[in-house]
Amino acid sequence: MPKNFIEIPKDLKKYMQLIIDNGYECYLVGGAVRDHLINVDNKDFDFCTNIPFDKLKKLIPNITIMKENDHRNTAIIRSKGLDIEFSTYRGKDLKEDLFNRDFTINAIAVDVYGNIIDYYYG
């Protein structure tokens, strides 16, 4: 598989597609992307999105809202041995969110089709 493409597991992709189908953005980010690129197994998946969490809760009723504040919201689903975390953007859009991440390798995103987005050369 080429390094500019990551196949997203079907169980994860369905959540991304649900958010996108409702008019919002959703990207796989952080450690799961990094670990895939360096061939390390991962059971912890992080997504960033611009969906308001009241709407996310309606779309995914079994999601647990972990933190809500003025800056960023976080919610989690535990499913089939996976931890699936959703956070609102750290900034106004994906590019700003990625800029605000801790390491450039963690500032890589993947869209629902598996395309890598790397604004900062992680």
Side-chain angles (χ1 to χ4, degrees):
M1 188 171 307
K3 286 289 186 188
N4 62 347
F5 177 83
I6 294 176
E7 189 165 343
I8 299 172
K10 198 170 24 172
D11 288 342
L12 302 175
K13 197 173 188 175
K14 72 177 182 183
Y15 293 116
M16 295 176 78
Q17 196 63 58
L18 181 62
I19 291 168
I20 292 165
D21 288 348
N22 280 274
Y24 297 95
E25 299 173 359
C26 187
Y27 297 91
L28 180 64
V29 294
V33 177
R34 176 201 63 226
D35 289 350
H36 176 82
L37 292 172
I38 61 173
N39 296 315
V40 172
D41 284 340
N42 189 316
K43 301 264 187 240
D44 180 23
F45 297 90
D46 298 326
F47 293 94
C48 65
T49 182
N50 62 345
I51 190 171
F53 270 35
D54 60 329
K55 292 184 180 183
L56 182 65
K57 183 73 174 166
K58 288 178 185 171
L59 291 177
I60 309 171
N62 64 324
I63 199 165
T64 301
I65 307 296
M66 304 295 283
K67 180 173 77 172
E68 281 189 274
N69 60 41
D70 293 337
H71 306 290
R72 191 166 60 109
N73 298 319
T74 302
I76 194 164
I77 300 169
R78 290 192 171 89
S79 174
K80 299 179 183 175
L82 303 176
D83 286 335
I84 306 166
E85 185 176 299
F86 295 85
S87 293
T88 52
Y89 286 151
R90 301 173 186 191
K92 66 181 187 277
D93 58 19
L94 175 65
K95 190 171 184 178
E96 196 170 303
D97 176 275
L98 297 175
F99 178 79
N100 288 310
R101 292 186 176 268
D102 53 352
F103 299 108
T104 53
I105 190 72
N106 286 348
I108 299 172
V110 177
D111 69 14
V112 71
Y113 305 107
N115 298 305
I116 293 175
I117 301 162
D118 186 8
Y119 296 116
Y120 304 106
Y121 308 104

